[in-house]
Amino acid sequence: MSLVKSISGIRGTIGGSVGEGLNPVDIARFVSAYAMQRRKCLPDNNVIVVGRDARISGKMCELVVCGTLMGMGYDVVDIGLATTPTTELAVQGERAAGGIILTASHNPRQWNALKLLNEHGEFLNDKEGKDVLGIAEKEDFMFAQVSELGSLVEKDYLPYHINNVLGLELVDKTAIEAADFTVAVDCINSVGGIALPALLKALGVKKTFFLNDTPNGDFAHNPEPLPQHLTEISDLLRNGKADVGFVVDPDVDRLAVICENGDMFGEEYTLVSVADYVLTHTPGNTVSNMSSTRALRDVTLRHGGSYSASAVGEVNVVAEMKRTDAVIGGEGNGGVIYPASHYGRDALVGIALFLSQLAHRHIKPSELKKQYPLYYISKNRIELTPQVDVDTLLLKVKDVYKNEQVNDIDGVKIDFSEGWVHLRKSNTEPIIRVYSEAATEDKANELAQRIIDVVREFV
């Protein structure tokens, strides 16, 4: 059994003994700590929003979370089965002190997690997250007296979310409806099966194929939207059944696109294409994390904007977007963050903007993909012994490449003229993740191997 504690939330496998898995005792402990942290920040705000994906363990976790919050004196707005971005928007809609999302994102069915939001519906920052972990460690909780117990109300925030999407200036329902698209969607047996049919109907899409749309948490395939897991929808597109395919993860904050010929548009290029559309109409700056494709930088410069790279992690991307006043940003895992809606990865927003672009340009997804610089990312790892000082190791690598363009805000990223390599240490195991990108797959692998060889010289 596993229990992973980080500033962004608590993730674990269901069951096991206390402290070794995600069980009712540990759920109550961390929720209590979160409630106390929120009370310190916003002593006069008594509302917390709770939403969950369709995981098998979701209802159990939901009941424990809601009961604990009530025991801490909070009034709970339980929005039930809801996407992560829906829950984020609900925090804003309720003017709540925060929110808890019950989802382990792309992890397998035995996992679940508590993702913790601030009063803006955004993930806790480093200081706030560490505060929650510190309170949980001390277990110095103060629960409410009987006359001060919180209440619970159930609400459906999906219509609010869809109205938010439809209200975006660059979402063109009229053009999408006129294009008469046939759209295929793999909902991975989670809340996408609730949200995406409603979204497409609202956008005027009349011809649809929905795969794995029963929200029972019994995932039909590995829930991470990678090409090797998406053969069913790819075959459907390859057989000419639809104009475009969309795939989401269980909490619907990541978006992968399938071309009309069954080829992968590429998760890295979800953000690139949406950013291209946004920048065409609203020129400005963009942000992605350091392990995302260089294509976003190229597209941004083409539109006269400025591109910035943040440390890996949504909270870091959002902070950099706010600092640079970016009009669009996100992550190369298919995460689109569009501030005109809210500061959170949102597949519903991504789908609406992508369809709007296809409708405006009268173009097929495969043709659209050819409009962008083509890069290949290679993902590798270096196994180390626990005795190795990874931080010192990365400093040595940085020194070797001191004459290149080096960024060390999150590990070490080395920018060469022909591509880049990013080295990051894992927080949970003795490994270094090595991501590289270049114009060809062979060149990306060659760049990675070059750096791996340098690392091994120091071990």
Side-chain angles (χ1 to χ4, degrees):
M1 296 296 173
S2 300
L3 186 66
V4 181
K5 296 166 279 188
S6 72
I7 61 165
S8 59
I10 311 303
R11 177 169 54 95
T13 51
I14 296 299
S17 34
V18 175
E20 295 184 357
L22 199 64
N23 52 72
V25 173
D26 282 306
I27 292 170
R29 180 161 64 98
F30 287 104
V31 170
S32 299
Y34 169 74
M36 291 191 68
Q37 192 275 337
R38 290 288 83 199
R39 187 76 73 196
K40 283 201 305 181
C41 294
L42 298 164
D44 298 323
N45 191 323
N46 215 41
V47 179
I48 299 285
V49 173
V50 176
R52 68 178 178 93
D53 71 15
R55 287 171 183 275
I56 294 168
S57 61
K59 191 62 179 179
M60 179 275 287
C61 295
E62 177 187 15
L63 292 171
V64 176
V65 168
C66 291
T68 302
L69 288 171
M70 292 167 69
M72 294 296 294
Y74 274 97
D75 296 329
V76 179
V77 178
D78 183 3
I79 65 171
L81 289 169
T83 75
T84 282
T86 304
T87 310
E88 292 168 345
L89 283 167
V91 172
Q92 296 181 8
E94 293 293 327
R95 294 181 174 83
I100 298 179
I101 309 166
L102 304 171
T103 176
S105 191
H106 62 270
N107 288 108
R109 53 184 265 166
Q110 68 268 28
W111 288 82
N112 213 328
L114 311 173
K115 293 188 176 182
L116 310 176
L117 304 176
N118 65 17
E119 69 274 21
H120 305 296
E122 299 163 15
F123 289 111
L124 300 186
N125 62 31
D126 181 76
K127 180 179 182 301
E128 292 167 334
K130 287 178 178 175
D131 197 12
V132 171
L133 295 179
I135 295 168
E137 187 71 26
K138 294 177 182 176
E139 294 191 356
D140 187 19
F141 308 132
M142 181 62 68
F143 294 98
Q145 302 296 319
V146 67
S147 60
E148 298 171 343
L149 293 174
S151 63
L152 184 143
V153 62
E154 296 178 352
K155 292 187 179 182
D156 178 9
Y157 254 87
L158 180 57
Y160 181 93
H161 189 177
I162 290 176
N163 286 336
N164 174 279
V165 175
L166 292 178
L168 296 172
E169 184 178 353
L170 296 187
V171 172
D172 194 335
K173 175 183 176 179
T174 302
I176 292 170
E177 194 165 14
D180 196 30
F181 292 122
T182 300
V183 177
V185 184
D186 185 342
C187 305
I188 192 57
N189 303 110
S190 191
V191 289
I194 299 170
L196 299 187
L199 172 71
L200 291 176
K201 181 179 179 180
L203 288 171
V205 177
K206 298 179 180 64
K207 296 179 291 186
T208 53
F209 289 92
F210 290 103
L211 307 177
N212 310 313
D213 57 339
T214 303
N216 57 14
D218 191 10
F219 304 143
H221 55 77
N222 186 304
E224 186 162 16
L226 299 177
Q228 59 267 36
H229 307 148
L230 307 179
T231 55
E232 184 182 10
I233 190 169
S234 297
D235 288 344
L236 189 150
L237 270 295
R238 197 170 289 115
N239 291 329
K241 298 291 182 66
D243 299 305
V244 63
F246 296 117
V247 183
V248 294
D249 60 344
D251 66 324
V252 200
D253 62 352
R254 290 172 58 177
L255 175 65
V257 181
I258 316 292
C259 296
E260 80 289 346
N261 57 10
D263 291 346
M264 297 291 138
F265 195 83
E267 263 197 309
E268 288 286 338
Y269 284 82
T270 299
L271 173 59
V272 174
S273 62
V274 170
D276 181 33
Y277 175 63
V278 169
L279 292 170
T280 299
H281 297 277
T282 52
N285 301 328
T286 67
V287 173
S288 63
N289 69 41
M290 293 170 63
S291 285
S292 298
T293 180
R294 184 180 277 185
L296 180 62
R297 182 203 66 177
D298 295 350
V299 167
T300 305
L301 294 177
R302 183 192 302 168
H303 284 284
S306 175
Y307 165 78
S308 300
S310 77
V312 173
E314 182 174 329
V315 66
N316 299 314
V317 175
V318 167
E320 184 66 10
M321 288 179 69
K322 290 180 178 180
R323 189 188 73 80
T324 60
D325 197 25
V327 297
I328 184 77
E331 298 182 291
N333 59 10
V336 173
I337 302 174
Y338 188 39
S341 173
H342 64 116
Y343 279 105
R345 298 184 304 186
D346 192 331
L348 279 75
V349 169
I351 287 171
L353 292 174
F354 192 90
L355 287 177
S356 296
Q357 173 159 232
L358 289 185
H360 278 197
R361 298 184 63 179
H362 306 286
I363 194 171
K364 296 178 180 179
S366 63
E367 296 168 342
L368 180 61
K369 175 68 179 290
K370 292 176 183 176
Q371 306 285 320
Y372 305 123
L374 186 58
Y375 295 109
Y376 294 85
I377 288 183
S378 176
K379 298 182 179 181
N380 300 275
R381 55 194 277 166
I382 305 172
E383 304 280 351
L384 302 169
T385 63
Q387 292 74 35
V388 173
D389 185 337
V390 178
D391 291 325
T392 299
L393 196 61
L394 292 178
L395 284 174
K396 291 179 180 178
V397 174
K398 178 184 172 184
D399 186 62
V400 170
Y401 292 98
K402 61 187 176 184
N403 293 325
E404 303 290 345
Q405 185 178 338
V406 177
N407 187 328
D408 62 356
I409 64 171
D410 185 9
V412 173
K413 182 176 182 180
I414 309 154
D415 266 296
F416 303 97
S417 58
E418 70 271 33
W420 54 261
V421 181
H422 186 199
L423 296 91
R424 296 179 68 238
K425 72 172 183 178
S426 168
N427 292 323
T428 58
E429 51 187 330
I431 64 170
I432 295 177
R433 303 188 192 281
V434 183
Y435 286 15
S436 59
E437 183 181 62
T440 68
E441 190 173 1
D442 287 345
K443 187 62 180 178
N445 290 330
E446 179 189 321
L447 275 176
Q449 192 58 53
R450 186 195 310 174
I451 304 300
I452 290 170
D453 290 343
V454 169
V455 171
R456 286 179 173 153
E457 288 179 8
F458 295 120
V459 176

